[in-house]
């Protein structure tokens, strides 16, 4: 419902998708960063996934509508299937995707702040993501004037009229000013590099093209692609880290291409405030740097059967091929393939049709 200001002539418009979108935030610390986002986030429901020590109390600023889950909650709700949710890694955020009941998800890291455009105006990142998701994508034919559905743009001469309707957009991938999302080797050779280039563009990633998906400024259509947005097994007890969003990105792109959905990248920008330690990152990424040279060709050559018509079907089929082909690279991938199946089983249990048993509630829900 729209909020009415003191003057009856001043009415604030209802935020876009207010009752259809959850904001998912993984964290190990107090969420003071929300104060800067208050004008944009306060109307929405937050799902906070607390990583690390579940006995630690996470403080959330007053006035936000949220539910908070820690590791004890995850274990209680999923039981043995909780093994598919990473521990001591931001990959735990995907639990929030699973328990949400909304149509759309926006996820952001707690070291990301409001950026400003070249005119000095604060960027409402969430609003731009929503605009991206609510307008079509053009994965089957590249438009050289970027997103043809934005104000002031259109399809260029030579663009097939039969493809101008576009396809539904499943994923909106945003970017970062200040600290770029670099891997450890690049961090080490460019320790002082900062991104100050604001490019006012949104692109559809072409069909058949993979991309490195970053989870710190990301929105997606949960009902379309949610079951494939699994951030893998990372962190504590695993031989790899910092590839959680990459893995999800490779999986969702293959499945979006197969099912005919679109993926956009570009606007909106957020301000990424701090660089993580490159030496710590190198330890986490070490295996991934080698393994991605096998994993990426695998995803580039994956073919999903025509009878895979749901995201769940596609994801289970993908898990079989991961086990068969990447399992030869390292036993970790066989374990990951099993976790992919467990994830789908847990997703389907928590997202059963109406009339199913009531699901567990969160810890520390605040209204």
């Amino acid at each position: 419902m729209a909020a009415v200001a003191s003057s009856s002539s001043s009415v604030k418009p209802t935020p876009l998708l207010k009752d259809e979108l959850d904001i998912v935030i993984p964290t190990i610390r107090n969420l003071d960063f929300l104060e800067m986002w208050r004008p944009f986030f306060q109307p929405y429901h937050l799902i906070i996934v607390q990583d690390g020590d579940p006995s630690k109390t996470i403080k959330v600023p007053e006035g936000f509508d949220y539910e908070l889950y820690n590791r004890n909650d995850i274990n209680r709700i999923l039981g043995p299937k909780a093994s598919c949710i990473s521990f001591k890694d931001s990959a735990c955020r995907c639990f929030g995707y699973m328990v949400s009941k909304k149509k759309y998800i926006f996820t952001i890291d707690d070291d990301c702040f409001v950026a400003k455009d070249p005119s000095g105006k604060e960027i409402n990142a969430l609003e731009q993501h929503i605009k991206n998701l609510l307008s079509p994508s053009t994965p089957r034919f590249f438009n050289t004037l970027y997103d043809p559905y934005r104000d002031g743009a259109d399809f260029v001469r030579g663009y097939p009229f039969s493809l101008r309707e576009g396809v539904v957009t499943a994923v909106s991938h945003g970017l970062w000013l200040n600290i770029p999302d670099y891997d450890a080797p690049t961090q080490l050779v460019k320790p002082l590099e900062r991104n100050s280039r604001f490019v006012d563009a949104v692109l559809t990633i072409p069909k058949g093209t993979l991309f490195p998906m970053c989870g710190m400024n990301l929105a997606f259509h949960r009902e379309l692609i949610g079951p494939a947005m699994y951030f893998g097994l990372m962190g504590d007890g695993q031989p790899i880290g910092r590839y959680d969003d990459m893995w999800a990105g490779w999986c969702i792109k293959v499945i979006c291409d197969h099912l005919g959905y679109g993926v956009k990248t570009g606007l909106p920008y957020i301000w990424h405030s701090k660089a993580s330690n490159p030496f710590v990152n190198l330890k986490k990424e070490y295996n991934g740097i080698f393994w991605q040279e096998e994993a990426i060709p695998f995803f580039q050559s994956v073919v999903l059967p025509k009878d895979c018509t749901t995201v769940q079907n596609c994801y289970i089929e993908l898990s079989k091929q991961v086990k068969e082909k990447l399992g030869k690279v390292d036993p970790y991938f066989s374990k990951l393939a099993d976790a992919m199946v467990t994830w789908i089983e847990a997703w389907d249990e928590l997202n059963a049709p109406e009339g199913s048993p009531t699901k567990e509630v969160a810890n520390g829900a605040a209204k």
Side-chain angles (χ1 to χ4, degrees):
M1 184 179 294
V4 181
S6 55
S7 169
S8 59
S9 61
S10 175
V11 179
K12 294 181 181 178
T14 302
L16 289 169
L17 302 181
K18 176 182 178 294
D19 299 317
E20 297 181 77
L21 182 144
D22 279 333
I23 300 173
V24 175
I25 305 167
T27 193
I28 58 171
R29 58 181 64 87
N30 294 335
L31 295 180
D32 300 329
F33 92 115
L34 284 173
E35 287 295 352
M36 191 176 191
W37 287 104
R38 186 181 291 275
F40 307 125
F41 288 2
Q42 192 163 5
Y44 295 88
H45 180 68
L46 311 182
I47 297 177
I48 300 161
V49 184
Q50 178 181 343
D51 197 17
D53 183 2
S55 66
K56 180 180 177 181
T57 300
I58 299 291
K59 294 180 181 178
V60 181
E62 291 289 327
F64 285 93
D65 171 32
Y66 73 93
E67 54 193 296
L68 186 150
Y69 298 89
N70 61 32
R71 192 69 204 188
N72 292 339
D73 298 313
I74 294 171
N75 291 338
R76 172 172 52 85
I77 293 167
L78 295 185
K81 292 184 175 65
S83 62
C84 72
I85 305 298
S86 299
F87 183 56
K88 294 187 178 178
D89 193 281
S90 65
C92 67
R93 79 177 76 221
C94 61
F95 178 77
Y97 311 159
M98 183 186 283
V99 296
S100 171
K101 295 296 177 280
K102 302 290 177 64
K103 188 174 183 179
Y104 300 95
I105 294 287
F106 170 56
T107 185
I108 187 171
D109 284 6
D110 60 16
D111 61 349
C112 295
F113 295 88
V114 179
K116 293 182 179 181
D117 67 18
S119 72
K121 181 183 177 182
E122 290 191 335
I123 298 167
N124 184 346
L126 179 53
E127 182 181 59
Q128 180 64 50
H129 274 300
I130 291 170
K131 288 179 179 178
N132 292 349
L133 289 170
L134 293 183
S135 62
S137 295
T138 53
R140 292 176 289 180
F141 201 90
F142 188 79
N143 191 56
T144 52
L145 199 54
Y146 314 122
D147 188 343
Y149 305 104
R150 289 187 71 196
D151 290 342
D154 210 323
F155 294 97
V156 297
R157 181 170 56 88
Y159 200 99
F161 283 88
S162 60
L163 297 178
R164 293 190 181 195
E165 187 176 324
V167 303
V168 65
T169 301
V171 179
S172 171
H173 177 256
L175 300 174
W176 344 268
L177 292 173
N178 195 37
I179 306 294
D181 186 31
Y182 285 161
D183 53 37
T186 309
Q187 281 183 292
L188 286 167
V189 298
K190 294 184 172 182
L192 302 179
E193 184 153 296
R194 300 293 181 266
N195 181 36
S196 59
R197 294 179 64 239
F198 180 95
V199 180
D200 186 13
V202 179
L203 302 174
T204 295
I205 301 172
K207 182 177 181 179
T209 300
L210 297 176
F211 75 112
M213 189 176 81
C214 172
M216 75 171 92
N217 175 23
L218 179 73
F220 60 93
H221 193 312
R222 182 181 175 275
E223 291 182 357
L224 279 186
I225 200 65
M229 202 54 91
Y230 175 47
F231 276 43
L233 285 178
M234 303 282 154
D236 194 51
Q238 307 301 334
I240 185 175
R242 284 174 55 83
Y243 273 86
D244 51 333
D245 42 9
M246 299 295 125
W247 182 261
W250 300 332
C251 292
I252 63 99
K253 188 57 169 63
V254 165
I255 293 173
C256 282
D257 286 352
H258 176 75
L259 295 177
Y261 303 147
V263 178
K264 292 181 177 179
T265 187
L267 300 179
Y269 284 90
I270 50 85
W271 181 269
H272 187 206
S273 64
K274 69 181 192 323
S276 47
N277 187 307
F279 297 101
V280 173
N281 290 347
L282 188 58
K283 285 184 179 180
K284 294 178 180 179
E285 295 172 5
Y286 179 79
N287 284 322
I289 290 170
F290 290 100
W291 292 345
Q292 71 180 6
E293 301 304 322
E294 302 281 351
I296 291 171
F298 162 75
F299 281 103
Q300 288 173 325
S301 62
V302 160
V303 176
L304 297 174
K306 288 184 179 179
D307 61 358
C308 286
T309 56
T310 69
V311 174
Q312 282 93 332
N313 291 157
C314 291
Y315 205 70
I316 294 296
E317 173 62 29
L318 195 54
S319 74
K320 293 175 184 175
Q321 296 192 35
V322 167
K323 177 171 278 193
E324 178 190 349
K325 296 178 181 176
L326 292 181
K328 300 171 184 175
V329 175
D330 191 273
Y332 164 76
F333 287 101
S334 295
K335 184 178 180 182
L336 176 56
D338 291 338
M340 292 168 71
V341 175
T342 303
W343 160 265
I344 291 295
E345 291 172 350
W347 182 284
D348 286 346
E349 284 182 15
L350 285 186
N351 294 278
E354 289 295 322
S356 59
T358 305
K359 304 300 184 294
E360 297 277 6
V361 296
N363 170 54
K367 298 291 180 187

